[in-house]
Amino acid sequence: MLRSLLIDNYDSYTYNLFQLLAEASGGEAKQTPATASHPYAVPPLVFKNDEISLEGVVSLVEAGKVHNVVISPGPGTPHSPHDIGAAMQAAALLYAG
């Protein structure tokens, strides 16, 4: 089973991604409210784009705590640091690596 890191760019689609990632990683696919405890066997770790640094992303990947990184869509533009937070740096670093 795999664990994903889901970087939330403040988009309503993030919960849908959460469900799909949990199902793909070996968990159960059950509909639950976003604020309830999730019954998935392997829920993704979710951080808002301004709640985790690039160093935090790298640390989780290098420690083997997450096996992939998924960046949610979001409002705004990737050209605005306020809109994208650490997501663009993480994508550039992990894509290059």
Side-chain angles (χ1 to χ4, degrees), residues 2-8 11-47 68 70-73:
L2 301 174
R3 172 164 263 167
S4 299
L5 169 62
L6 177 56
I7 299 177
D8 180 3
D11 188 271
S12 61
Y13 191 69
T14 300
Y15 183 67
N16 297 53
L17 287 173
F18 180 97
Q19 289 182 286
L20 292 169
L21 291 168
E23 182 178 354
S25 67
E28 301 173 29
K30 292 183 181 178
Q31 183 72 27
T32 62
T35 57
S37 296
H38 299 285
Y40 302 112
V42 186
L45 296 178
V46 181
F47 288 92
N68 57 66
V70 177
I71 300 171
S72 78

Side-chain angles (χ1 to χ4, degrees), residues 83-94:
D83 293 338
I84 198 81
M88 185 62 79
Q89 292 173 316
L93 179 69
L94 296 171

Side-chain angles (χ1 to χ4, degrees), residues 34-87:
T35 57
S37 296
H38 299 285
Y40 302 112
V42 186
L45 296 178
V46 181
F47 288 92
K48 300 278 188 197
N49 67 21
D50 55 359
E51 293 177 339
I52 191 166
S53 65
L54 178 59
E55 293 79 16
V57 173
V58 171
S59 175
L60 289 170
V61 171
E62 288 179 346
K65 293 183 179 181
V66 297
H67 302 94
N68 57 66
V69 178
V70 177
I71 300 171
S72 78
T77 173
H79 302 292
S80 171
H82 176 73
D83 293 338
I84 198 81

